Amino acid sequence: FFSIRAGNIDYATMCQGRNKLEATLKVLTDKLKEVGKNKMTATELDGIRDMRLVQEMYARGFDFAPIDINKADPKYFRQVDDRHIMPPLSSVEGMGGKAADALAHAIAEAAADGPFLSVDDFCIRTGCSKNMAPKLKDLGLLGDIPDSNQLSIFDFFAG
């Protein structure tokens, strides 16, 4: 349903728990009450509609699984189990359909060379932009890999 009907699912806002969704939905619905439908953008109005769909999903006991960059589809939601669906790569803000397709393909090819050592390594091997990589890392999609392959002297004394 989300792959076909919902056009504005944002992973950071809607797929990281009910509390975050509710807070964002309240901000947008308050704005709608204050300024009216004509003063809001189409993206905001679509976002409210999609957030209500996600709200219904949460109310029925379903949840989102975190995006696994090695398994996520570039455009379509995937059923993980009876209660969880995994959002597509394109649900990450700023990741359009073509960029998601290209990244998924590049990740699949790069996987043959082993795990990613750092965000820099991820960008080099997949062609991911230097603007998108920090978003992916902040959302937890790149795991706990360091930003760079370079070590500092302090890395030897940490821990």
Side-chain angles (χ1 to χ4, degrees):
F1 183 83
F2 286 118
S3 294
I4 297 168
R5 298 280 184 228
N8 202 18
I9 298 288
D10 175 33
Y11 183 74
T13 303
M14 299 181 207
C15 304
Q16 299 205 327
R18 193 174 196 165
N19 292 339
K20 193 166 191 173
L21 170 77
E22 298 289 345
T24 306
L25 182 57
K26 182 173 179 359
V27 168
L28 285 174
T29 54
D30 288 349
K31 181 179 178 181
L32 179 62
K33 289 175 190 171
E34 184 180 322
V35 301
K37 198 177 201 178
N38 295 334
K39 299 274 182 173
M40 294 189 65
T41 67
T43 302
E44 290 171 325
L45 293 172
D46 289 347
I48 290 172
R49 181 200 65 219
D50 292 346
M51 284 183 208
R52 288 193 174 132
L53 293 171
V54 172
Q55 194 177 37
E56 177 73 18
M57 183 193 87
Y58 282 135
R60 292 177 182 259
F62 295 96
D63 205 346
F64 291 104
I67 292 177
D68 179 337
I69 61 168
N70 296 305
K71 297 178 183 173
D73 188 274
K75 295 179 188 167
Y76 300 108
F77 287 78
R78 292 183 109 150
Q79 183 175 350
V80 175
D81 57 36
D82 289 345
R83 291 282 178 203
H84 295 87
I85 59 173
M86 184 186 307
L89 290 173
S90 61
S91 67
V92 174
E93 182 184 8
M95 175 93 53
K98 288 184 180 182
D101 280 336
L103 184 59
H105 181 73
I107 289 170
E109 285 186 357
D113 295 331
F116 299 108
L117 303 175
S118 66
V119 175
D120 290 343
D121 180 45
F122 176 79
C123 290
I124 291 167
R125 290 171 48 196
T126 64
C128 183
S129 75
K130 294 286 184 179
N131 295 330
M132 184 53 67
K135 282 184 186 180
L136 297 175
K137 180 160 172 114
D138 290 344
L139 291 170
L141 306 185
L142 299 180
D144 58 358
I145 61 174
D147 291 337
S148 173
N149 287 345
Q150 288 195 323
L151 296 175
S152 75
I153 192 164
F154 300 108
D155 292 333
F156 292 107
F157 298 107

